[in-house]
Amino acid sequence: MDTPARPRGLYDREAEWEDLSRFVLSPRPGLRVGIVYGRRRYGKSYLLRRLVEAVGGVYHLALREERRPALDRFANSLSRQLQWAPSQPFRDWSDAMEQAASVLGARGTQPQVLVIDEYPYLQQNSPELDSALQAVMDETAAGGLAEGWAAPVSIVLCGSAMSVMTQILSGTSPLRGRAALDMPLAAFDYRQARGYWGIGDLDAAFAVDTVVGGAAGYKDLTADAGIPTRRKGLPEWLAATVLNPSHVLFREDDYLLREDPRVTDEATYYSLLQAVADGRTSPAKIAEALGRTSNDISHHLGVMTTAGFVVRHEDLLADRRPVYRIADPIVRFHHLINRRHRAQLEDRHALDVWSNADATYRSQIVGPHFESICRLWVDRYAAEETLGGPADTSASVQVNDRRRRQAFELDVVALRQGEQKGKAKTVQFLGEAKAYRLDADALTRLDHLADLLAGRSGVTLSPSAKRLLFSAEGFTSELIAAATTRPDVGLVDLQRLYEGA
């Protein structure tokens, strides 16, 4: 079957729409299972509802409820959308899944789909659910259940509890190795987010992105406050939304954390996120902030990583030196601004809080966020010529100056494409990313760090290696003049990040 036309109201998501359509419209007989997962407000439900509307089938939104009410609601969803009712209440989830698959399989000859949204809600009080699905799949594969089917059936499981959804297909899960679709739905990146919000001014687009990132749902939630068209409009917009105790986004970090059932010891997880937001990026430093050892917090770091609250990066040049960063801008914003000034904000002093938090915002929010979008630009948008040749995924790298007994961080580094871990490494590109205006001293520093890097055992610079300086506020005339005389140096400002390669 041809891929159905993307709904006009669906922004971007071309690849996801294509993959989902191909999965649910597959003519292969029998039953197939897929999963779709992503953090709250990324647009999963909107995407899947549009899919069911386009191809037909059933969309069921689960709620937090006990097994019996959950089974009855599932039966009601089937009855309402298929004009069919079970002869008696479902006995259990094996019975429910078997009957649902059977009625869909006998419904005409076109492929049929069942979407179960917020699947972890069902799983919480019905831990046998994965096994029930496995049993139905096995019975279908054996030929007994699907004997009278005229149509192939696809079941899509969707959820926001990332640590739960990522376990469905791993370890000893009954569904491991059985899914034909494993789709994580990410937030829009900074370029996509600018288009989605419809912000023309680059400074304003970047400022909004530092606070809410690319979660699609935040646009609707802030619609009454309008959209900042200039960076100077950010304080008033924040005072009406994220810093407003009456607004739903005021406690967004609480909602997000409680979304995941594996987060049971909230104090520990809040403290862990606070430590990472404060700039403690190594397990040892995070543990120190919590008054624990690295072994004590390894489980908590694992939960926060699989739940999508923090991301783990490996140092490109050093094994076993992971770096942890906050994954979501709004979580970082809450831990550095809202949670520190909760009392003042609840007393409606948002603009005073914002004025006093300016230094924190610039150094601990804008700076790290700018570095992250620079790495993303290198990975997704930078031309090969810009990097001096094909390069692998970028990351930050710690550089040690033994003579001065100092450690520096290179913000954006990429190895030559194809370099293997454990072998001698060739650096294809290195760069510094600063939100403030850069002068000629920045190039001197970058050259120094490049020399230190080249002098490191097992590391060489590619003959065509490029050195890039990134700035959100531009460059002095002296730096621009110096860069024009150096074919190995490039300057990247906001306009190039958003619109260039």
Side-chain angles (χ1 to χ4, degrees), residues 272-290:
L272 187 153
L273 289 174
Q274 185 68 57
V276 179
D278 283 335
R280 296 175 174 89
T281 58
S282 71
K285 290 182 178 178
I286 297 169
E288 182 184 17
L290 271 64

Side-chain angles (χ1 to χ4, degrees), residues 3 6 10-23 36 42-43 47-48 51 181 183-188 192 380:
T3 300
R6 277 193 336 116
L10 181 63
Y11 177 78
D12 199 78
R13 306 301 191 196
E14 287 92 348
E16 290 85 353
W17 182 261
E18 182 76 23
D19 289 345
L20 279 169
S21 298
R22 186 184 303 113
F23 171 71
V36 175
Y42 279 7
L47 174 65
L48 291 171
L51 181 72
L181 177 78
M183 179 184 288
L185 195 71
F188 294 136
Q192 296 164 332
R380 292 189 182 180

Side-chain angles (χ1 to χ4, degrees), residues 117-136:
D117 202 354
E118 297 300 355
Y119 180 74
Y121 289 170
L122 295 182
Q123 208 184 37
Q124 196 165 9
N125 288 312
S126 301
E128 78 282 5
L129 196 48
D130 289 358
S131 296
L133 271 170
Q134 176 199 16
V136 173

Side-chain angles (χ1 to χ4, degrees), residues 101 127-128 184 242 245 296 363 372:
E128 78 282 5
V242 182
D296 289 339
S363 63
S372 70

Side-chain angles (χ1 to χ4, degrees), residues 430-445:
L430 54 105
E432 286 272 81
K434 306 301 176 187
Y436 51 80
R437 189 176 181 83
L438 293 182
D439 57 23
D441 288 342
L443 182 53
T444 302
R445 170 187 158 89

